[in-house]
Amino acid sequence: MKIKDRINIGRKAIMGNLTKNIGRSAPYNLAVMETVVIKKILVVRPNARLGNQLLLTPLLQEITKTFPDCYIDVLVKGNLAPLLFKNYKNIGQIIKLPQRPFNKPFTYIYKWICLKFTHYDIVINAVNNSASGKLMTKLAWSHYKFFGYQHHYPLSDDSLKHMAKIPVFDFRNCINRLGFEYNTASVPDLDIKLDQTEINHGQAQLKKLVQNQKQTICLFTYATGQKCYSAVWWLKFYGKLSKEHSHYNFIEILPATNKSNIDNIIPVYYSDNVREIAAVIANCTLFIGADSGIMHLASASGIPTAGLFSCTDMEVYKPYNKNSIALNTNAITIEECVSIIQKRLKSAASFQNMDDYIVKKKEKQLLATCKIRSIIPTGGTRDPK
């Protein structure tokens, strides 16, 4: 392990220990005012990674559905968020922290100070184990602060512990304590909200690559660190896959490094605009890739996605949208991976119906065990009785 990685792990452990009690009692101490009016919300997720920001999209959809007239500010790191959320109409300000705070310390400090002087009706720390997220939520000026998941659902249940679902469940629980009706609907999918112009442009780019009318399978052979599969693995996998699916086109999305783990033997596509990449992927039949930001981008584009997992928690990070699957490559062979993908291509609809049935059944069982306060319908204001 590199020295830089060890320092980062140590820093996270120290900060996690220092902030572990911040907000611990907050969900049980939500003092409800006579009239609750929700017009401005801040979502805190100080992280620059593509996947982590895309995993916010179900929460953003949930907030918009619950409070359709509210404005949502989002606090993140880096410059991706304006692109990712550009078609979310309720987004107000995107507060961009420097990706490397020590390179711009004054900008970083200024953003923190601004939190103290901007009023919000609700501040939401989207991820409970984010030390900086907890600190920023505590600092922010708001009467209501949601610090993280509140254990009103069984995290031992794999179908309910996905990173995209937990912030939504927490939001539902907390606003229910404020007197708003609990939403029992399924958690929304990841969604980058491509418009028709973008989809048409992606279709044109794909046609340039394949130059025929066959359906296309999209591969992404890169991932960071231990999540990345070797070139040997990918070449063997592609060999088996292409043999079984010779009636499909294959393309590969390249990372910023422009490195292919299958030696550029199929047409490749790269863009520095993630929405353009999503639009190309959206015009394919299936996406296959390891756990990565691009895998979540494929999910957010609406395409059936096969995520490959070898070291990260599959139930927490698997692709979250309709007809998608996660494959534990430690437990199955390449041949079995190809066989499962083949079945998914043939009967995606029936698989999804069964997935939805299982998850909804578990969520209904969960709700039966919770004390839900159904005082008023959602919409932005809770008036006194």
Side-chain angles (χ1 to χ4, degrees):
M1 185 183 295
K2 296 179 180 179
I3 295 176
K4 180 181 177 182
D5 293 333
R6 290 179 180 175
I7 293 173
N8 198 37
I9 291 171
R11 178 188 63 81
K12 287 183 177 180
I14 293 170
M15 290 300 296
N17 190 55
L18 291 173
T19 60
K20 65 182 179 181
N21 292 321
I22 292 179
R24 182 170 289 243
S25 61
Y28 308 103
N29 295 324
L30 290 175
V32 182
M33 297 182 293
E34 286 190 355
T35 301
V36 179
V37 180
I38 307 300
K39 291 294 183 182
K40 194 171 183 181
I41 294 175
L42 173 65
V43 175
V44 179
R45 185 63 169 111
N47 189 286
R49 292 181 179 177
L50 171 63
N52 287 336
Q53 293 190 16
L54 287 168
L55 287 166
L56 287 177
T57 58
L59 176 61
L60 298 179
Q61 294 172 73
E62 181 77 14
I63 294 171
T64 301
K65 183 177 180 181
T66 307
F67 304 118
D69 297 323
C70 80
Y71 289 98
I72 307 169
D73 288 357
V74 183
L75 188 152
V76 292
K77 282 186 179 180
N79 298 309
L80 278 175
L83 272 175
L84 300 181
F85 307 140
K86 80 166 200 173
N87 286 340
Y88 277 79
K89 303 305 181 186
N90 288 57
I91 295 292
Q93 181 184 7
I94 294 178
I95 304 167
K96 299 183 292 183
L97 295 173
Q99 192 164 344
R100 294 178 175 83
F102 291 109
N103 290 351
K104 296 181 179 180
F106 295 109
T107 301
Y108 190 73
I109 293 169
Y110 173 74
K111 299 287 186 180
W112 277 71
I113 294 172
C114 287
L115 293 176
K116 194 68 177 173
F117 298 97
T118 304
H119 180 261
Y120 294 98
D121 299 308
I122 297 175
V123 176
I124 302 169
N125 175 40
V127 176
N128 174 263
N129 61 7
S130 170
S132 56
K134 288 180 183 178
L135 289 170
M136 289 176 176
T137 302
K138 186 173 181 63
L139 178 67
W141 180 15
S142 176
H143 189 73
Y144 300 117
K145 299 179 181 182
F146 306 163
F147 283 90
Y149 57 80
Q150 310 306 339
H151 308 290
H152 287 286
Y153 43 89
L155 289 181
S156 58
D157 187 337
D158 287 344
S159 69
L160 301 176
K161 70 177 186 179
H162 195 281
M163 184 68 79
K165 290 184 173 184
I166 288 175
V168 175
F169 285 133
D170 175 64
F171 174 74
R172 290 175 178 179
N173 283 320
C174 287
I175 65 168
N176 180 244
R177 288 176 175 273
L178 296 180
F180 293 91
E181 184 178 10
Y182 193 98
N183 180 11
T184 60
S186 298
V187 174
D189 290 347
L190 268 64
D191 193 356
I192 196 173
K193 293 190 180 294
L194 295 169
D195 59 41
Q196 194 58 50
T197 300
E198 291 173 316
I199 292 172
N200 292 343
H201 179 71
Q203 184 180 52
Q205 293 297 310
L206 183 60
K207 285 183 177 179
K208 288 181 182 179
L209 290 173
V210 298
Q211 299 182 353
N212 61 50
Q213 299 300 316
K214 294 193 297 183
Q215 292 183 316
T216 301
I217 295 175
C218 178
L219 305 180
F220 183 68
T221 64
Y222 180 77
T224 56
Q226 295 180 342
K227 295 185 292 183
C228 190
Y229 291 78
S230 69
V232 172
W233 190 95
W234 272 110
L235 285 167
K236 184 178 180 181
F237 175 80
Y238 172 71
K240 299 285 185 183
L241 187 70
S242 59
K243 184 178 179 181
E244 294 293 332
H245 299 87
S246 57
H247 52 295
Y248 284 87
N249 298 311
F250 287 87
I251 67 166
E252 181 181 7
I253 302 296
L254 291 181
T257 59
N258 278 330
K259 181 183 177 183
S260 166
N261 272 330
I262 52 175
D263 299 329
N264 297 100
I265 58 178
I266 57 177
V268 298
Y269 179 80
Y270 172 74
S271 173
D272 59 4
N273 185 317
V274 292
R275 297 192 72 86
E276 291 180 357
I277 295 174
V280 170
I281 294 173
N283 282 280
C284 297
T285 303
L286 175 71
F287 173 93
I288 305 171
D291 178 18
S292 66
I294 298 295
M295 181 199 76
H296 292 300
L297 185 68
S299 294
S301 74
I303 185 177
T305 301
L308 307 173
F309 288 78
S310 62
C311 59
T312 47
D313 191 330
M314 188 169 71
E315 296 302 329
V316 173
Y317 296 107
K318 64 184 177 182
Y320 185 67
N321 70 327
K322 294 178 177 63
N323 296 329
S324 290
I325 53 174
L327 303 172
N328 180 354
T329 57
N330 294 320
I332 58 177
T333 65
I334 286 178
E335 289 77 12
E336 288 170 325
C337 282
V338 172
S339 176
I340 292 169
I341 289 169
Q342 187 173 15
K343 289 177 182 178
R344 175 60 55 146
L345 280 169
K346 287 182 178 179
S347 54
S350 61
F351 269 88
Q352 178 58 26
N353 291 339
M354 181 57 68
D355 290 345
D356 282 347
Y357 171 77
I358 292 170
V359 171
K360 287 179 180 178
K361 183 177 180 181
K362 288 181 177 178
E363 289 180 355
K364 286 179 180 179
Q365 290 170 346
L366 162 66
L367 292 174
T369 66
C370 296
K371 293 182 179 179
I372 304 300
R373 296 174 60 199
S374 300
I375 298 177
I376 60 165
T378 56
T381 303
R382 185 198 66 78
D383 290 323
K385 292 182 179 180

